[in-house]
Amino acid sequence: MTPQSLPAIGSGDPSTWDQALYAFLIEKGNRSGSKRTVESYSRMLWPFFAERGLTPDRVKPADVLAWVHGIGRSGRTPSGTTVGARIACLSSFYRFLIRMGLVVSNPCDAVERPRSVQSVARGYSADEVRRLLAVVPADTVAGRRDRAILLTLVLTGRRRAEVIGLRAGDLSIEDETCFYTYRGKGGKRGRRELPHPAYEAICASLVDAGKELAAMAPEESLWQAGARPEGVTSGTFYTRFRRYLVAAGMAPTGIHVLRHTAAKLRRDAGESIESVSQFLDHSSLAVTSVYLRRLEGQEDLTWRDVAEAIGV
């Protein structure tokens, strides 16, 4: 995360507090690898202090309480989720300030957090995935490409950007098993088995593009069929995905639901929660690094059960 992606402080020399906030946002960005996270934190923190004319060392629990429950620009009373997000954001900044020796206490500690309500599990069932795949046209170049992308998303559990960003050089064949290298959130890199149905669908789509994997340059996109040489864009695929959902009689939603689907299908196939967490790279940084070493280059032992469940 670079300073260029952060908002400008304004004219004049930045104060110690402005510098601290910048440092916090940069650290947050480097840890999360998410520009959206930094932008969200920035939108909350800068106005909180500016609108009250307070420096962090002068903020009291009452100031925090009034803000987290205050009506925002939408004009609506904040939901429990919004209240929790505001407290988490401000509290995280104060923990940073305490580590830096700039303050000695966290005013958020005195504010009661909203009771969390467990959300309904997301993710499609195997039957719903079959319905979705059934409406993707198998007689068109773009349809076969989209099917390959959908299968890769569902069978690998990777994020949209990670899949759309796959290049020919990211795939390798070892003893008739295909592996893919991915660049994950926070700059993490990993290597996993590419389930055979996804690999076959990719190869079929490349034939449509007049390509053969073994002869492609490493930087070439896997998703060129029916698209420009750089491959289909994330936005274009998102639009087409929403159309498929409508055609399948399913509510429009974001592509991230397929990552939830991958987790749900593996859980349904009998994998432990711990195994699913490892599969998705979900855990603390320390534990994730251990899991990544364990999974590096390993075969995926569950994709066959998932593939059978969704009929591919």
Side-chain angles (χ1 to χ4, degrees):
M1 191 62 59
T2 63
Q4 288 76 15
S5 63
L6 301 175
I9 291 179
S11 60
D13 294 332
S15 68
T16 298
W17 300 114
D18 287 334
Q19 292 177 19
L21 184 45
Y22 256 63
F24 167 73
L25 293 173
I26 291 174
E27 179 181 273
K28 179 64 67 174
N30 289 338
R31 285 187 172 182
S32 69
S34 170
K35 182 179 178 181
R36 290 179 59 186
T37 297
V38 173
E39 291 173 344
S40 176
Y41 273 53
S42 179
R43 284 195 300 267
M44 286 189 276
L45 291 173
W46 290 110
F48 172 78
F49 293 107
E51 292 171 3
R52 286 155 187 78
L54 296 173
T55 53
D57 59 327
R58 295 174 54 206
V59 172
K60 306 298 182 185
D63 299 314
V64 177
L65 184 65
W67 174 64
V68 300
H69 291 283
I71 295 175
R73 295 179 180 177
S74 67
R76 298 190 298 269
T77 300
S79 65
T81 300
T82 298
V83 170
R86 289 175 178 176
I87 295 176
C89 172
L90 191 58
S91 183
S92 180
F93 177 48
Y94 270 94
R95 290 196 299 272
F96 173 82
L97 293 177
I98 291 171
R99 281 196 290 117
M100 296 298 105
L102 295 174
V103 299
V104 296
S105 63
N106 185 344
C108 299
D109 290 343
V111 178
E112 184 176 353
R113 297 173 185 258
R115 183 174 300 174
S116 61
V117 178
Q118 190 168 2
S119 60
V120 178
R122 299 180 64 195
Y124 297 135
S125 66
D127 287 340
E128 288 172 318
V129 175
R130 285 196 292 268
R131 281 169 51 195
L132 178 60
L133 291 173
V135 302
V136 179
D139 58 349
T140 69
V141 168
R144 289 190 288 271
R145 177 204 66 215
D146 292 346
R147 177 182 173 85
I149 296 175
L150 287 170
L151 285 175
T152 303
L153 287 163
V154 171
L155 292 174
T156 67
R158 304 319 314 168
R159 298 174 180 84
R160 171 172 42 164
E162 296 165 12
V163 170
I164 295 297
L166 284 174
R167 299 289 181 261
D170 295 324
L171 303 190
S172 60
I173 308 296
E174 298 178 15
D175 297 327
E176 300 184 355
T177 297
C178 182
F179 291 90
Y180 69 97
T181 301
Y182 64 91
R183 292 165 289 277
K185 189 174 181 180
K188 300 174 187 173
R189 301 181 71 90
R191 184 172 181 270
R192 304 278 178 85
E193 179 183 357
L194 179 65
H196 194 64
Y199 172 69
E200 283 191 325
I202 289 172
C203 290
S205 179
L206 289 176
V207 169
D208 286 332
K211 300 285 183 176
E212 184 178 351
L213 186 61
M216 292 174 67
E219 68 277 6
E220 287 192 79
S221 172
L222 296 178
W223 319 116
Q224 298 183 46
R228 56 184 186 168
E230 294 83 0
V232 68
T233 66
S234 180
T236 295
F237 179 71
Y238 171 75
T239 300
R240 296 178 63 83
F241 172 66
R242 302 266 290 192
R243 290 175 184 165
Y244 294 142
L245 290 175
V246 172
M250 300 161 70
T253 187
I255 293 175
H256 199 72
V257 71
L258 298 181
R259 183 163 161 85
H260 290 274
T261 298
K264 173 180 169 54
L265 293 176
R266 284 171 176 272
R267 189 77 175 105
D268 292 344
E271 275 201 3
S272 67
I273 295 176
E274 292 78 10
S275 294
V276 173
S277 178
Q278 294 172 32
F279 170 71
L280 296 176
D281 293 342
H282 278 174
S283 61
S284 69
L285 291 177
V287 175
T288 297
S289 65
V290 174
Y291 287 157
L292 286 175
R293 286 196 295 272
R294 289 177 180 171
L295 290 170
E296 187 74 14
Q298 285 189 6
E299 293 186 11
D300 183 341
L301 301 179
T302 308
W303 72 256
R304 291 171 179 80
D305 295 328
V306 173
E308 182 178 355
I310 65 177
V312 298

